[in-house]
Amino acid sequence: QVQLVESGGGLAQSGGSLGLSCAAPGSIFSLLVMAWYRQAPGKQRELVAAITGSGRIYYDDSVKGRFTISRDNAKKSVYLQMNSLKPEDTAVYYCNGGYGNSWYEYDDWGQGTQVTVSL
């Protein structure tokens, strides 16, 4: 089991920026595959970005060029920098992590943080 603690998010205007952080204290963080998912009202949860322990990265097409996922193994944290935000980025964002080699929906989730983008 991996404890995941999220921070960040909030309210931004269209075109603005926000950052998310997710810490995994107590983990062997360098071995974790970490990902950010989001769920908008009335929609299914979707994978936004992911990063493996070796640094392999995935982005959903909808966020490519606007969002950046990164990790700091020393701080046992993963980050999501969100630039050029759009109203359609509004959702609850969840951190997900697990020991593995690729991105799956692992069992452990952060508490979720709201991101709201206004026009």
Side-chain angles (χ1 to χ4, degrees), residues 56-67:
R56 189 161 54 100
I57 289 175
Y58 165 86
Y59 291 108
D60 184 79
D61 285 345
S62 65
V63 306
K64 279 182 182 176
R66 300 189 298 121
F67 290 12

Side-chain angles (χ1 to χ4, degrees), residues 37-87:
Y37 288 77
R38 66 186 180 188
Q39 187 166 22
K43 294 187 177 182
Q44 288 189 329
R45 184 166 57 203
E46 61 178 359
L47 175 62
V48 176
I51 184 168
T52 67
S54 63
R56 189 161 54 100
I57 289 175
Y58 165 86
Y59 291 108
D60 184 79
D61 285 345
S62 65
V63 306
K64 279 182 182 176
R66 300 189 298 121
F67 290 12
T68 302
I69 189 170
S70 62
R71 63 190 295 154
D72 185 330
N73 289 343
K75 295 183 178 180
K76 297 189 176 184
S77 294
V78 65
Y79 308 96
L80 187 68
Q81 179 62 38
M82 303 179 290
N83 299 327
S84 302
L85 283 163
K86 303 176 181 180

Side-chain angles (χ1 to χ4, degrees), residues 2-116:
V2 180
Q3 181 190 13
L4 299 171
V5 181
E6 299 180 35
S7 60
L11 177 65
Q13 291 187 329
S14 182
S17 298
L18 287 171
L20 303 178
S21 300
C22 175
S27 70
I28 308 175
F29 189 78
S30 61
L31 299 182
L32 288 176
V33 177
M34 300 298 297
W36 290 98
Y37 288 77
R38 66 186 180 188
Q39 187 166 22
K43 294 187 177 182
Q44 288 189 329
R45 184 166 57 203
E46 61 178 359
L47 175 62
V48 176
I51 184 168
T52 67
S54 63
R56 189 161 54 100
I57 289 175
Y58 165 86
Y59 291 108
D60 184 79
D61 285 345
S62 65
V63 306
K64 279 182 182 176
R66 300 189 298 121
F67 290 12
T68 302
I69 189 170
S70 62
R71 63 190 295 154
D72 185 330
N73 289 343
K75 295 183 178 180
K76 297 189 176 184
S77 294
V78 65
Y79 308 96
L80 187 68
Q81 179 62 38
M82 303 179 290
N83 299 327
S84 302
L85 283 163
K86 303 176 181 180
E88 51 263 45
D89 295 319
T90 295
V92 178
Y93 283 70
Y94 297 92
C95 177
N96 179 257
Y99 294 105
N101 296 315
S102 191
W103 32 88
Y104 307 104
E105 284 198 13
Y106 292 96
D107 291 339
D108 297 305
W109 296 88
Q111 76 274 21
T113 186
Q114 179 70 45
V115 169
T116 302

